[in-house]
Amino acid sequence: MSIAERRIREKEAMRSNILSTGWQIVTDEGWQSLSIRKIADAIQYSVPVIYDHFANKDAILIEFGKQGFELVIGQLTEAKARHAEPAAQLKAIADAYWDFAFKNKEHYQLMWGMSIPCCEMDKCMPERSIFRNLVMAPIVEILEKEAHADAESNACLKYHTFWSILHGLISIKMVAPPDDTEELNKRVLDDAIMGFIKNLES
Amino acid sequence: MSIAERRIREKEAMRSNILSTGWQIVTDEGWQSLSIRKIADAIQYSVPVIYDHFANKDAILIEFGKQGFELVIGQLTEAKARHAEPAAQLKAIADAYWDFAFKNKEHYQLMWGMSIPCCEMDKCMPERSIFRNLVMAPIVEILEKEAHADAESNACLKYHTFWSILHGLISIKMVAPPDDTEELNKRVLDDAIMGFIKNLES
DNA sequence: TTACTTTTGCTAACACTGTTAAGTCAGGTA
DNA sequence: TACCTGACTTAACAGTGTTAGCAAAAGTAA
């Protein structure tokens, strides 16, 4: 009983030790240079121990992606709650998402599988649908207010557009950082999102 | 004279042999699994000869990125030439860009440095500014037609927005391919780009 | 033609990756 | 006490990018 319990506890402790040590390496050197051996070295265990807790290296990176989703969902929820009007909510979500991406660059990249084969993503990431619902709700509200014929199916379309704009801007800025000013980038975001919202309402 | 010329010719032949053989591997197995040894094997030379022609593996991948730019610039130029009105030109460019991205997935990914450390990109890729000018021209035209106060500076903003929408849509579809229908994706593109153009004109 | 130099290409290694088979040894169980 | 299960290790396999050092061929000058 108690022994088995302790063993489970120890196993979980080891697992989270691997994750937090791994994350330390990621923040220090970038996720590209995370390696199983580096983790093993840091936790002072041999390499195969890590494979007792994770199927492979990708599983560890996917775990970080999940953590990223949990983080951003929290921040988006807060940002949304600060406003009543759906248009204002949408703008707040966009701003919060933007902030998150650049304050949590490593997380952001792992969330959208910049490293991981894409097919496994959807199964491992139920968080993506939470994110989706969060963004979709205010869009549906706006469309319904404007009494559009097919609000539901349009919302799906508009959701994709909304966060394509966001993700596009962020991707570009991440690939080629210092050739434009910080300020221009924020203006592009504002321009795009305000245009999008305006279009939604008309 | 003639001997030196032949040597240069042979050297260039070897270089393009490396590139075309490398590209064969990329199209067969994806750029992630391109390796120097695989190229060496395929061209039936030992590994170090490749380093006589390219500083490292990244240099080869960057070369493919360049080729991608040349390709897309050609196709966008054609698409643009088929229309007279700047709004129609912009739409045609967007459609052509979209087509290119999915018909040349490997090229597209290498163009935007999904593998390569970003800092070196700008130096190695003057093609990016050609691309930029190509897209910017019709935007400037529209803005000037509408007699906007600061057409020039706005165009820069709008250019970023335009292709952020494009790149965002494409990135998303590339990361998670089969969860939405082909048709929806095209509708999202049309929706986003038409909305963008409408905004530009008002 | 001979002697010298340059170029070309190779072998073999270094220092890393991810992953796993096989064995050791301690803790817990009957 | 004898056994067994698991935790943990060593050592290896099969890859990766990269480079030092050497042999042979090719071209040049006497």
Side-chain angles (χ1 to χ4, degrees):
Chain A
M1 299 262 157
S2 164
I3 287 168
E5 272 174 27
R6 194 208 59 206
R7 282 201 159 146
I8 290 170
R9 201 157 17 91
E10 279 174 355
K11 194 143 194 171
E12 261 166 32
M14 177 75 92
R15 191 189 138 92
S16 72
N17 190 206
I18 292 170
L19 284 175
S20 63
T21 307
W23 188 247
Q24 187 59 50
I25 296 168
V26 168
T27 51
D28 289 351
E29 310 171 35
W31 58 260
Q32 295 90 341
S33 78
L34 180 70
S35 84
I36 301 286
R37 277 181 177 80
K38 277 184 193 166
I39 298 175
D41 249 40
I43 64 172
Q44 304 188 85
Y45 278 88
S46 68
V47 167
V49 176
I50 290 164
Y51 287 91
D52 289 339
H53 302 270
F54 297 94
N56 50 38
K57 188 187 166 180
D58 279 353
I60 297 174
L61 292 175
I62 287 174
E63 196 60 38
F64 293 145
K66 279 186 176 187
Q67 290 177 1
F69 268 104
E70 277 162 30
L71 251 169
V72 78
I73 285 169
Q75 293 181 20
L76 295 197
T77 308
E78 273 181 39
K80 190 180 169 186
R82 277 197 286 275
H83 296 84
E85 286 299 304
Q89 285 179 341
L90 220 46
K91 183 69 174 66
I93 285 173
D95 288 337
Y97 188 82
W98 175 271
D99 277 357
F100 170 83
F102 293 107
K103 283 183 186 150
N104 304 76
K105 212 167 164 173
E106 305 294 348
H107 264 134
Y108 190 84
Q109 291 178 359
L110 292 170
M111 282 163 64
W112 300 113
M114 292 190 173
S115 61
I116 304 149
C118 46
C119 308
E120 306 192 27
M121 284 280 289
D122 260 47
K123 298 163 204 158
C124 307
M125 297 251 178
E127 292 87 354
R128 273 173 74 161
S129 64
I130 300 176
F131 170 76
R132 185 193 173 102
N133 294 340
L134 200 70
V135 175
M136 200 112 119
I139 294 177
V140 173
E141 265 194 75
I142 295 177
L143 289 180
E144 279 174 351
K145 200 178 284 178
E146 300 295 324
H148 278 264
D150 44 1
E152 270 304 324
S153 90
N154 252 337
C156 184
L157 194 76
K158 295 293 183 182
Y159 159 76
H160 269 87
T161 310
F162 175 79
W163 103 252
S164 289
I165 296 171
L166 267 173
H167 181 64
L169 284 166
I170 290 165
S171 306
I172 292 159
K173 214 203 147 206
M174 281 196 179
V175 168
D179 63 332
D180 292 303
T181 60
E182 189 72 30
E183 191 244 340
L184 174 68
N185 283 297
K186 193 74 179 78
R187 274 178 58 212
V188 173
L189 173 73
D190 288 341
D191 177 55
I193 296 300
M194 292 317 285
F196 173 79
I197 293 173
K198 209 173 89 185
N199 251 7
L200 220 54
E201 293 171 325
S202 70
Chain B
M1 299 261 153
S2 164
I3 286 168
E5 272 174 28
R6 193 210 58 207
R7 279 198 162 151
I8 291 170
R9 199 156 19 91
E10 280 175 354
K11 195 142 193 171
E12 262 165 31
M14 176 74 92
R15 190 190 140 91
S16 72
N17 190 205
I18 291 170
L19 284 176
S20 63
T21 307
W23 187 248
Q24 187 58 53
I25 295 168
V26 168
T27 51
D28 288 352
E29 310 172 34
W31 58 261
Q32 295 90 341
S33 79
L34 180 71
S35 85
I36 301 286
R37 278 179 175 82
K38 277 183 192 166
I39 297 175
D41 248 41
I43 64 172
Q44 303 188 82
Y45 278 89
S46 68
V47 167
V49 295
I50 289 166
Y51 287 89
D52 291 339
H53 299 86
F54 297 93
N56 50 38
K57 188 186 167 181
D58 279 352
I60 298 174
L61 292 175
I62 287 173
E63 196 60 38
F64 293 145
K66 280 187 173 185
Q67 290 177 1
F69 268 104
E70 278 162 31
L71 251 170
V72 78
I73 284 168
Q75 293 180 18
L76 295 198
T77 307
E78 273 181 41
K80 190 182 170 185
R82 276 197 286 273
H83 296 84
E85 285 298 304
Q89 285 179 341
L90 219 46
K91 184 69 172 65
I93 286 173
D95 287 338
Y97 188 82
W98 175 270
D99 276 357
F100 170 84
F102 293 107
K103 282 183 188 150
N104 305 77
K105 211 167 166 174
E106 305 294 347
H107 265 135
Y108 189 85
Q109 291 178 358
L110 291 170
M111 283 162 66
W112 301 113
M114 293 192 172
S115 62
I116 305 149
C118 47
C119 307
E120 305 191 28
M121 284 280 290
D122 259 46
K123 297 162 203 159
C124 307
M125 297 247 177
E127 292 87 351
R128 274 173 71 162
S129 65
I130 300 176
F131 169 76
R132 185 193 172 103
N133 294 339
L134 199 71
V135 176
M136 200 113 118
I139 293 178
V140 173
E141 266 194 75
I142 294 176
L143 290 179
E144 278 173 353
K145 200 177 284 178
E146 300 296 324
H148 278 265
D150 44 0
E152 272 302 323
S153 88
N154 252 337
C156 185
L157 194 77
K158 294 293 184 182
Y159 158 76
H160 269 87
T161 310
F162 175 78
W163 101 252
S164 288
I165 296 171
L166 268 173
H167 181 64
L169 284 166
I170 291 165
S171 306
I172 292 160
K173 215 204 146 205
M174 280 195 178
V175 169
D179 63 331
D180 291 305
T181 61
E182 189 71 30
E183 192 242 344
L184 174 68
N185 283 297
K186 192 77 179 79
R187 273 177 60 212
V188 173
L189 173 73
D190 288 340
D191 176 54
I193 295 301
M194 293 316 286
F196 173 79
I197 294 173
K198 210 173 88 185
N199 251 8
L200 219 55
E201 293 171 324
S202 70

